Amino acid sequence: MAIRERLSGNEAVAYAIKQINPDVMPAFPITPSTEIPQYVANYIANGEIDTEFIPVESEHSAMSATVGACAAGARAITATSSCGMALMWEELYVAASNRLPIVLALVNRALSGPININADHSDSMGARDSGWIQIYAESNQEVYDNYIQAFPIAEDKRVQLPVMVCQDGFITSHGVENIFLVEDDKVKCFVGEYEPEHYLLHPTERMAVGPYAVSNYYMETKRGQRQAMIQARQVILEVAAKFKEMTGRTYSFFEEYKMEDAEYAVVIIGSAAGTCKAAVEQIRNTTGKKVGLIKIRVFRPFPEKEIAEALSKVKAVAIMDRSEMFSATSGPLGAEVRAAMYQAHGTAQVVNYFYGLGGRDITVSDFEKIYDNLETIARTHIVTGMYEYIGLREGTLQEEK
């Protein structure tokens, strides 16, 4: 029987780590992910797990040590946020290109500058092309569930890629919610033992990890990574199906909320999906307008065909980005969704909005205005405010002229 608990998102990740008992965890503290290695260190000190904790001098060293431990044959993990992840940048690419199934708990926080410690997705979205699988959570329950699923995804022989498990800083990482935990023995059985086929400390095999790749080999390495990312799609669904058998909780590439008959849809990532769901309920109950939501869970590999199909019958779509990339027309999520719809010859009108940068709130009334705007766009076929910041203070430039 599931265990009912009240935990923050950081506590939930740490508890999952306790249940999995990985071999090695190098880590360096940075807000708002600091609690994760802190809790794990307490578990180790209390003798509850035998993970080797490695205190390091920086986040670059944390990922370097994680890469080294994983290459040596250990199940290795770490955690970070924001500028800590930026300091890992070089090693993110090393981990992915070496096909190391590392699991990183990333607590999303805005990148400097200006200095900000609150949630947005600029850290993870900046690393979207580093070769890591990226999975995002709306709630503390999803953080816990995603983290457990990350290991069999990463370690599957068809994949062998690192996984980034993302949650919104402070909103889920420090907010306490009721969640259901899986029993220890079931988690251990679900995750299984890590049994790498090739590793540096293999007693009968000679190998090198991370050698210099001349032009004759570099492209083939990247093509291999791409193939692994393609194969990860099926593995993600297989792992989700097994997780449903164990818990009854359903996961896929994304969640569709009230999309069966929706004419106007919002596409979003992370904790703000909960606020949008409240807006969907309120709009449907008070006006009868057919509004819906798609919450992206898996951003890499991006489920372009499935997204295009889910949006194929709507009249207008608002894509919500919590990260700016200074493109002419969109943010990271906007670029992916619009490309998917274009490739599928989608007919819906599309607008891209930016929200929540640096932790700024977005409210139910904000989403109500977004859905109103979608209705207007669908009626007039005129896209207004393509490059608009939701919740910007009055008197500040809203739209690129």
Side-chain angles (χ1 to χ4, degrees), residues 39-49:
Y39 290 132
V40 173
N42 284 338
Y43 289 141
I44 296 168
N46 293 336
E48 297 177 72
I49 55 175

Side-chain angles (χ1 to χ4, degrees), residues 85 89 106 108 111 120-130 134 136 164 166 269 296 299-300 302 320-325 331-334 336:
M85 186 178 186
W89 215 259
L106 179 67
N108 288 115
L111 281 169
D120 71 23
H121 298 154
S122 52
D123 48 6
S124 57
M125 284 300 170
R128 64 189 180 275
D129 299 328
S130 62
Q134 289 190 339
Y136 289 80
M164 203 176 288
C166 306
I269 289 176
I296 302 292
F299 187 75
R300 284 288 184 271
F302 191 76
M320 309 294 294
D321 267 292
R322 202 162 193 168
S323 175
E324 174 63 278
M325 74 178 194
L333 181 58
E336 298 281 354

Side-chain angles (χ1 to χ4, degrees), residues 17 44 56 59 85 96 109 119 121 150-151 167 194 196 203 218 252 262 267 338-340 353 367 375:
I17 293 171
I44 296 168
V56 291
E59 291 86 357
M85 186 178 186
R109 167 189 151 186
H121 298 154
F151 289 86
Q167 63 168 314
Y194 180 45
Y218 186 88
S252 188
V267 182
R338 292 174 72 197
Y353 293 132
F367 282 112
E375 185 179 23

Side-chain angles (χ1 to χ4, degrees), residues 137-213:
E138 173 192 343
S139 64
N140 299 12
Q141 183 71 67
E142 291 184 10
V143 172
Y144 173 77
D145 293 350
N146 288 344
Y147 195 84
I148 291 172
Q149 292 178 65
F151 289 86
I153 293 169
E155 294 169 4
D156 191 286
K157 295 189 186 303
R158 292 166 289 177
V159 180
Q160 291 290 299
L161 288 173
V163 177
M164 203 176 288
V165 180
C166 306
Q167 63 168 314
D168 288 348
F170 293 108
I171 301 169
T172 60
S173 69
H174 287 64
V176 175
E177 294 180 355
N178 291 327
I179 71 171
F180 290 99
L181 301 172
V182 184
E183 297 90 333
D184 291 355
D185 58 334
K186 290 183 179 179
V187 172
K188 292 184 185 302
C189 181
F190 182 83
V191 172
E193 296 294 329
Y194 180 45
E195 298 177 353
E197 185 176 357
H198 306 286
Y199 52 98
L200 287 172
L201 297 183
H202 195 292
T204 62
E205 182 179 38
R206 294 181 180 179
M207 63 178 293
V209 175
Y212 173 65

Side-chain angles (χ1 to χ4, degrees), residues 351-377:
V351 63
N352 194 192
Y353 293 132
F354 295 86
Y355 78 99
L357 304 185
R360 183 158 301 185
D361 287 339
I362 187 166
T363 65
V364 169
S365 63
D366 288 327
F367 282 112
E368 289 176 331
K369 293 174 184 176
I370 289 167
Y371 282 114
D372 286 343
N373 194 36
L374 288 179
E375 185 179 23
T376 301
I377 290 171

Side-chain angles (χ1 to χ4, degrees), residues 55 66 92 103 112 144 153 178 195 221 236 243 247 265 287-288 310 359 366:
T66 308
L92 294 179
V103 175
S112 299
Y144 173 77
I153 293 169
N178 291 327
E195 298 177 353
T221 300
I236 289 167
F243 192 81
T247 66
T287 70
D366 288 327

Side-chain angles (χ1 to χ4, degrees), residues 162-338:
V163 177
M164 203 176 288
V165 180
C166 306
Q167 63 168 314
D168 288 348
F170 293 108
I171 301 169
T172 60
S173 69
H174 287 64
V176 175
E177 294 180 355
N178 291 327
I179 71 171
F180 290 99
L181 301 172
V182 184
E183 297 90 333
D184 291 355
D185 58 334
K186 290 183 179 179
V187 172
K188 292 184 185 302
C189 181
F190 182 83
V191 172
E193 296 294 329
Y194 180 45
E195 298 177 353
E197 185 176 357
H198 306 286
Y199 52 98
L200 287 172
L201 297 183
H202 195 292
T204 62
E205 182 179 38
R206 294 181 180 179
M207 63 178 293
V209 175
Y212 173 65
V214 296
S215 302
N216 295 357
Y217 297 99
Y218 186 88
M219 283 184 66
E220 285 71 21
T221 300
K222 294 303 168 186
R223 181 61 183 86
Q225 288 178 250
R226 170 175 282 279
Q227 187 62 33
M229 195 69 78
I230 292 170
Q231 292 168 179
R233 292 165 53 86
Q234 182 60 35
V235 174
I236 289 167
L237 296 179
E238 290 174 3
V239 170
K242 292 178 182 178
F243 192 81
K244 183 178 180 180
E245 289 179 9
M246 180 174 67
T247 66
R249 295 190 287 275
T250 301
Y251 288 95
S252 188
F253 298 128
F254 52 85
E255 176 190 347
E256 297 183 61
Y257 189 77
K258 306 291 186 181
M259 286 296 295
E260 297 85 358
D261 62 346
E263 297 179 342
Y264 316 107
V266 164
V267 182
I268 201 165
I269 289 176
S271 60
T275 307
C276 191
K277 288 175 181 177
V280 167
E281 292 290 342
Q282 185 162 308
I283 293 168
R284 281 181 171 264
N285 291 337
T286 58
T287 70
K289 292 179 183 177
K290 296 176 180 179
V291 298
L293 163 72
I294 290 180
K295 180 190 71 184
I296 302 292
R297 173 180 177 247
V298 178
F299 187 75
R300 284 288 184 271
F302 191 76
E304 63 279 350
K305 293 181 181 178
E306 293 83 357
I307 285 288
E309 175 62 26
L311 295 172
S312 62
K313 297 178 181 178
V314 303
K315 296 178 180 178
V317 182
I319 308 165
M320 309 294 294
D321 267 292
R322 202 162 193 168
S323 175
E324 174 63 278
M325 74 178 194
F326 305 108
S327 166
T329 56
S330 67
L333 181 58
E336 298 281 354
V337 175
R338 292 174 72 197

